[in-house]
Amino acid sequence: MAETGYKPMKDSGFIPILPKTLEEIGLTRNGLAVEAKVRPASITDLYNGETRTVHFETLQTIIDTLNRLGFEKGLSRRFTIEDIFTYDARTKKSSE
């Protein structure tokens, strides 16, 4: 993989929440990738906190897909970006 100069999201203070969200909705990483038409590697990187960059369009597609699938499963709540990841500066690894 080419080096971008960016740290993985988990080293930048972003905490992956996607594992809990997928468990709640009863969906696998691959299932989300197929439903959202997003590369499986992109979903896996978000899931594991290894993403170095992410496009807003990709996030929008994932959130829209989670909401559609949640509705189809009878879930009443709406999914947001905080169901994919959150930010906590205290978890950020310092640059050396």
Side-chain angles (χ1 to χ4, degrees):
M1 177 163 65
E3 181 60 43
T4 62
Y6 298 112
K7 295 188 283 186
M9 64 183 258
K10 67 182 180 184
D11 294 344
S12 300
F14 292 93
I15 302 162
I17 305 299
L18 190 56
K20 292 177 188 174
T21 302
L22 292 181
E23 183 177 330
E24 177 184 349
I25 205 168
L27 191 63
T28 64
R29 287 175 279 180
N30 192 57
L32 177 59
V34 169
E35 290 288 339
K37 297 177 177 67
V38 172
R39 289 178 44 245
S42 297
I43 299 296
T44 295
D45 286 348
L46 277 170
Y47 185 95
N48 293 323
E50 295 296 331
T51 298
R52 293 176 183 267
T53 61
V54 64
H55 295 273
F56 288 115
E57 183 177 318
T58 302
L59 289 174
Q60 178 184 6
T61 298
I62 293 168
I63 293 166
D64 288 347
T65 301
L66 290 171
N67 281 310
R68 178 178 54 81
L69 294 172
F71 177 79
E72 289 173 2
K73 291 185 181 246
L75 299 177
S76 59
R77 79 179 198 82
R78 300 281 298 163
F79 293 94
T80 69
I81 196 166
E82 290 186 339
D83 293 302
I84 299 174
F85 57 80
T86 60
Y87 178 74
D88 184 344
R90 297 171 295 181
T91 66
K92 188 169 148 179
K93 292 187 179 179
S94 63
S95 300
E96 295 180 27

